[in-house]
Coordinates of all heavy atoms in Angstrom, one line a residue:
S18 N 67.4 -21.9 0.4 CA 67.6 -23.2 1.0 C 66.5 -23.6 1.9 O 66.4 -24.8 2.4 CB 69.0 -23.2 1.8 OG 69.0 -22.2 2.8
N19 N 65.5 -22.7 2.3 CA 64.5 -22.9 3.1 C 63.4 -23.8 2.4 O 62.9 -23.2 1.3 CB 63.9 -21.7 3.7 CG 64.9 -20.9 4.6 OD1 65.7 -21.6 5.2 ND2 64.8 -19.6 4.6
T20 N 63.0 -24.7 3.0 CA 62.0 -25.6 2.4 C 61.0 -25.9 3.5 O 61.4 -25.7 4.8 CB 62.4 -26.9 1.6 OG1 63.1 -27.6 2.7 CG2 63.4 -26.6 0.6
F21 N 59.7 -26.2 3.1 CA 58.8 -26.6 4.2 C 58.0 -27.8 3.7 O 57.4 -27.9 2.6 CB 57.8 -25.5 4.5 CG 56.7 -25.9 5.4 CD1 57.1 -26.0 6.8 CD2 55.4 -26.3 5.1 CE1 56.1 -26.3 7.8 CE2 54.6 -26.6 6.0 CZ 54.9 -26.7 7.3
T22 N 58.0 -28.8 4.5 CA 57.2 -30.1 4.3 C 56.5 -30.3 5.6 O 57.1 -30.5 6.7 CB 58.1 -31.2 4.1 OG1 58.8 -31.0 2.8 CG2 57.2 -32.5 3.7
G23 N 55.2 -30.2 5.7 CA 54.4 -30.5 6.9 C 52.9 -30.2 6.7 O 52.5 -30.2 5.5
F24 N 52.4 -29.9 7.9 CA 50.8 -29.9 7.8 C 50.3 -28.4 8.2 O 51.1 -27.7 8.9 CB 50.2 -30.8 8.9 CG 50.6 -32.2 8.6 CD1 51.7 -32.8 9.1 CD2 49.7 -33.0 7.8 CE1 51.9 -34.1 8.9 CE2 50.1 -34.3 7.5 CZ 51.2 -34.8 8.1
S25 N 49.2 -28.0 7.7 CA 48.6 -26.7 8.2 C 47.1 -26.8 8.4 O 46.6 -27.6 7.8 CB 48.8 -25.5 7.1 OG 48.3 -26.0 5.9
N26 N 46.7 -25.9 9.2 CA 45.2 -25.9 9.5 C 44.7 -24.5 9.8 O 45.4 -23.8 10.4 CB 44.9 -26.9 10.7 CG 43.4 -27.1 10.8 OD1 42.9 -27.9 10.2 ND2 42.7 -26.3 11.6
S27 N 43.5 -24.1 9.1 CA 43.0 -22.8 9.3 C 41.6 -22.9 9.7 O 40.9 -23.4 9.1 CB 43.2 -21.9 7.9 OG 42.6 -20.7 8.1
L28 N 41.3 -22.3 10.9 CA 39.8 -22.4 11.4 C 39.3 -20.9 11.3 O 39.8 -20.1 11.9 CB 39.8 -23.0 12.8 CG 38.4 -23.0 13.5 CD1 37.5 -24.0 12.7 CD2 38.5 -23.5 14.9
D29 N 38.3 -20.8 10.6 CA 37.8 -19.2 10.5 C 36.2 -19.3 10.7 O 35.4 -20.1 10.2 CB 38.0 -18.8 9.1 CG 39.4 -18.8 8.8 OD1 40.1 -18.0 9.3 OD2 40.0 -19.6 7.8
L30 N 35.8 -18.2 11.4 CA 34.4 -17.8 11.6 C 34.2 -16.5 10.9 O 34.8 -15.5 11.1 CB 34.0 -17.8 13.0 CG 32.6 -17.4 13.3 CD1 31.7 -18.5 12.9 CD2 32.5 -17.1 14.9
R31 N 33.1 -16.5 9.9 CA 32.8 -15.2 9.1 C 31.4 -14.8 9.0 O 30.5 -15.8 9.1 CB 33.3 -15.6 7.7 CG 33.0 -14.4 6.8 CD 33.6 -14.8 5.3 NE 33.5 -13.7 4.4 CZ 34.3 -12.8 4.1 NH1 35.5 -12.8 4.9 NH2 34.2 -11.8 3.3
L32 N 31.0 -13.6 9.2 CA 29.8 -13.1 8.9 C 29.9 -12.0 7.8 O 30.5 -11.0 7.8 CB 29.4 -12.2 10.3 CG 28.0 -11.5 10.2 CD1 26.8 -12.5 9.9 CD2 27.8 -10.6 11.4
D33 N 28.7 -12.3 6.9 CA 28.5 -11.4 5.8 C 27.1 -10.9 5.9 O 26.1 -11.6 6.0 CB 28.6 -12.2 4.4 CG 30.0 -12.5 4.1 OD1 30.8 -11.6 3.7 OD2 30.5 -13.7 4.2
Q34 N 27.0 -9.5 6.1 CA 25.7 -8.9 6.4 C 25.6 -7.7 5.5 O 26.3 -6.7 5.5 CB 25.7 -8.4 7.8 CG 24.4 -7.6 8.3 CD 23.3 -8.6 8.1 OE1 23.2 -9.7 8.7 NE2 22.3 -8.1 7.2
P35 N 24.5 -7.7 4.5 CA 24.2 -6.6 3.8 C 23.4 -5.6 4.7 O 22.8 -5.9 5.6 CB 23.1 -7.1 2.7 CG 23.3 -8.6 2.8 CD 23.8 -9.0 4.1
I36 N 23.8 -4.2 4.3 CA 23.2 -3.2 5.1 C 22.6 -2.2 4.3 O 23.1 -2.1 3.1 CB 24.2 -2.6 6.1 CG1 25.6 -2.2 5.4 CG2 24.5 -3.6 7.2 CD1 26.6 -1.6 6.2
F37 N 21.8 -1.3 4.8 CA 21.2 -0.2 3.9 C 20.4 -0.8 2.7 O 20.3 -0.1 1.7 CB 22.2 0.9 3.5 CG 23.1 1.4 4.5 CD1 24.6 1.2 4.4 CD2 22.6 1.8 5.7 CE1 25.4 1.7 5.4 CE2 23.4 2.2 6.8 CZ 24.8 2.3 6.7
T38 N 19.8 -1.8 2.8 CA 19.0 -2.4 1.7 C 17.9 -3.4 2.3 O 17.9 -3.6 3.5 CB 20.0 -3.2 0.8 OG1 19.1 -3.6 -0.3 CG2 20.4 -4.5 1.4
Y39 N 17.0 -3.8 1.4 CA 16.0 -4.7 1.9 C 16.3 -6.1 2.0 O 17.4 -6.5 1.5 CB 14.6 -4.6 1.0 CG 14.9 -5.3 -0.4 CD1 14.5 -6.6 -0.5 CD2 15.5 -4.6 -1.4 CE1 14.6 -7.2 -1.6 CE2 15.7 -5.2 -2.7 CZ 15.2 -6.5 -2.9 OH 15.4 -7.2 -4.0
N40 N 15.6 -6.9 2.8 CA 15.9 -8.2 3.1 C 15.5 -9.1 1.9 O 14.3 -9.5 1.9 CB 15.2 -8.6 4.3 CG 15.7 -10.1 4.8 OD1 16.2 -11.0 4.1 ND2 15.7 -10.2 6.2
R41 N 16.4 -9.4 1.2 CA 16.1 -10.2 -0.2 C 15.7 -11.6 0.2 O 14.7 -12.1 -0.4 CB 17.3 -10.1 -1.1 CG 17.5 -8.9 -1.8 CD 18.8 -8.9 -2.6 NE 18.9 -7.8 -3.4 CZ 19.2 -6.4 -3.0 NH1 19.4 -6.2 -1.7 NH2 19.3 -5.4 -3.9
R42 N 16.3 -12.4 1.1 CA 15.9 -13.7 1.4 C 14.6 -13.7 2.0 O 13.9 -14.6 1.7 CB 16.9 -14.1 2.4 CG 16.8 -15.7 2.7 CD 18.0 -16.2 3.5 NE 19.1 -16.5 2.8 CZ 20.2 -15.8 2.8 NH1 20.3 -14.8 3.5 NH2 21.3 -16.1 2.1
K43 N 14.2 -12.9 2.9 CA 12.8 -12.9 3.4 C 11.7 -12.6 2.5 O 10.7 -13.3 2.5 CB 12.8 -11.9 4.6 CG 11.5 -12.0 5.5 CD 11.6 -11.0 6.6 CE 10.4 -11.2 7.5 NZ 10.5 -10.4 8.8
L44 N 12.1 -11.5 1.5 CA 11.2 -11.3 0.5 C 10.9 -12.5 -0.4 O 9.6 -12.9 -0.8 CB 11.6 -10.2 -0.3 CG 10.6 -9.6 -1.4 CD1 9.4 -9.1 -0.7 CD2 11.3 -8.5 -2.2
E45 N 11.9 -13.2 -0.8 CA 11.7 -14.4 -1.7 C 10.9 -15.5 -0.9 O 10.1 -16.1 -1.6 CB 13.1 -14.8 -2.1 CG 13.1 -16.1 -3.0 CD 14.6 -16.5 -3.4 OE1 15.5 -16.0 -2.8 OE2 14.7 -17.5 -4.1
Y46 N 11.2 -15.6 0.4 CA 10.5 -16.8 0.9 C 9.1 -16.4 1.1 O 8.1 -17.3 0.9 CB 11.1 -16.8 2.4 CG 10.4 -17.9 3.3 CD1 10.7 -19.2 3.1 CD2 9.5 -17.5 4.3 CE1 10.1 -20.2 3.8 CE2 8.9 -18.5 5.2 CZ 9.3 -19.8 4.9 OH 8.6 -20.8 5.6
K47 N 8.7 -15.2 1.3 CA 7.3 -14.8 1.4 C 6.5 -14.9 -0.1 O 5.5 -15.4 -0.1 CB 7.0 -13.3 1.9 CG 7.4 -13.0 3.4 CD 6.5 -13.9 4.2 CE 5.1 -13.4 4.2 NZ 4.2 -14.1 5.0
E48 N 7.3 -14.6 -1.1 CA 6.7 -14.7 -2.4 C 6.5 -16.2 -2.7 O 5.4 -16.6 -3.2 CB 7.8 -14.3 -3.4 CG 7.7 -12.7 -3.6 CD 8.6 -12.2 -4.7 OE1 9.7 -12.8 -4.9 OE2 8.2 -11.4 -5.4
I49 N 7.4 -17.1 -2.3 CA 7.2 -18.6 -2.5 C 6.0 -19.0 -1.6 O 5.1 -19.8 -2.1 CB 8.4 -19.3 -2.1 CG1 9.5 -19.0 -3.2 CG2 8.1 -20.9 -2.3 CD1 10.9 -19.6 -3.0
E50 N 5.7 -18.6 -0.5 CA 4.7 -18.9 0.4 C 3.4 -18.4 -0.3 O 2.4 -19.3 -0.4 CB 4.8 -18.3 1.8 CG 5.7 -18.9 2.7 CD 5.6 -18.3 4.2 OE1 5.2 -17.1 4.2 OE2 5.6 -19.1 5.1
F51 N 3.4 -17.2 -1.0 CA 2.1 -16.8 -1.6 C 1.8 -17.6 -2.8 O 0.7 -17.9 -3.2 CB 2.3 -15.3 -1.9 CG 2.1 -14.3 -0.8 CD1 3.0 -13.2 -0.6 CD2 1.1 -14.6 0.2 CE1 2.7 -12.4 0.6 CE2 0.9 -13.7 1.2 CZ 1.7 -12.7 1.3
N52 N 2.9 -18.0 -3.6 CA 2.7 -18.8 -4.7 C 2.1 -20.0 -4.3 O 1.2 -20.6 -5.2 CB 4.1 -19.1 -5.4 CG 4.6 -17.9 -6.1 OD1 3.8 -17.0 -6.4 ND2 5.8 -17.8 -6.4
F53 N 2.6 -20.8 -3.3 CA 1.9 -22.0 -2.8 C 0.5 -21.7 -2.5 O -0.4 -22.6 -2.8 CB 2.8 -22.5 -1.6 CG 2.2 -23.8 -1.1 CD1 2.0 -24.8 -1.8 CD2 1.7 -23.9 0.3 CE1 1.5 -26.0 -1.3 CE2 1.1 -24.9 0.8 CZ 1.1 -26.1 -0.1
E54 N 0.2 -20.6 -1.7 CA -1.2 -20.4 -1.2 C -2.0 -20.2 -2.6 O -3.2 -20.7 -2.6 CB -1.3 -19.3 -0.3 CG -2.6 -18.9 0.2 CD -2.7 -17.8 1.0 OE1 -1.6 -17.1 1.3 OE2 -3.8 -17.4 1.4
N55 N -1.4 -19.5 -3.5 CA -2.2 -19.3 -4.7 C -2.6 -20.5 -5.5 O -3.7 -20.6 -6.0 CB -1.5 -18.2 -5.7 CG -2.4 -17.5 -6.5 OD1 -3.6 -17.3 -6.3 ND2 -1.8 -17.0 -7.5
S56 N -1.6 -21.4 -5.5 CA -1.8 -22.8 -6.2 C -2.8 -23.5 -5.5 O -3.6 -24.2 -6.1 CB -0.4 -23.5 -6.4 OG 0.0 -23.8 -5.1

């Protein structure tokens, strides 16, 4: 017999951090910089 009609709100802060591996984002950025310099 329980029903719910109303509002809800969820506020979240999240950190995703790879560990024990190389920095893929930084490596990709440097490669694109080198591609531009090469061009």
Side-chain angles (χ1 to χ4, degrees):
S18 59
N19 294 328
T20 63
F21 176 78
T22 301
F24 300 90
S25 64
N26 192 82
S27 179
L28 179 64
D29 298 295
L30 179 65
R31 181 182 180 88
L32 172 65
D33 287 284
Q34 178 61 59
I36 53 178
F37 309 128
T38 186
Y39 72 95
N40 191 328
R41 287 168 170 79
R42 182 173 282 106
K43 190 173 183 179
L44 185 64
E45 182 181 4
Y46 181 76
K47 291 298 295 182
E48 282 186 320
I49 293 177
E50 278 190 326
F51 283 139
N52 288 340
F53 176 60
E54 183 182 358
N55 204 22
S56 64

